[in-house]
Amino acid sequence: IAIYNNTKVISSILSINITHQALTDSIKVFVTPFVAAINGASSTDTPANDMTQAFAPRCKNKICVANVGSQSKNTISMAVSVSKLFGVAKRAVYDED
């Protein structure tokens, strides 16, 4: 942002790769897109625990375990676009000033 004053993020992809430290390690990963101050929400309205996060809109979750041979099975990815997050057409995001 400091370099490009008029930056607009249209979409993003987040990929989390879990590297385990022991054969008995397992972890449940939640990826929940959250936008503060939409529909009266505040930054403190983030999901508070596993259950509220698991049922949050557009949440992805995965259990990653150490005894799986493929590292790709211990990766979770989330793609989100502004148009989907706000429920508007792509053209509306591109045309916005």
Side-chain angles (χ1 to χ4, degrees):
I1 297 300
I3 298 171
Y4 305 104
N5 293 328
N6 295 318
T7 301
K8 184 188 293 186
V9 177
I10 303 298
S11 64
S12 63
I13 298 173
L14 174 68
S15 185
I16 300 172
N17 187 287
I18 307 301
T19 304
H20 300 281
Q21 300 298 312
L23 284 175
T24 56
D25 282 354
S26 65
I27 186 170
K28 188 161 191 178
V29 180
F30 296 93
V31 181
T32 306
F34 176 78
V35 179
I38 292 181
N39 298 329
S42 72
S43 59
T44 59
D45 292 336
T46 55
N49 55 47
D50 287 358
M51 288 307 290
T52 57
Q53 187 149 348
F55 292 108
R58 297 170 299 278
C59 175
K60 274 188 155 182
N61 61 71
K62 185 174 192 177
I63 297 175
C64 300
V65 293
N67 58 1
V68 173
S70 170
Q71 190 61 44
S72 65
K73 292 190 179 191
N74 284 328
T75 300
I76 185 170
S77 295
M78 166 68 80
V80 67
S81 67
V82 173
S83 60
K84 285 185 180 177
L85 200 60
F86 287 100
V88 298
K90 284 183 183 179
R91 191 78 250 158
V93 176
Y94 294 131
D95 292 342
E96 185 182 0
D97 290 336

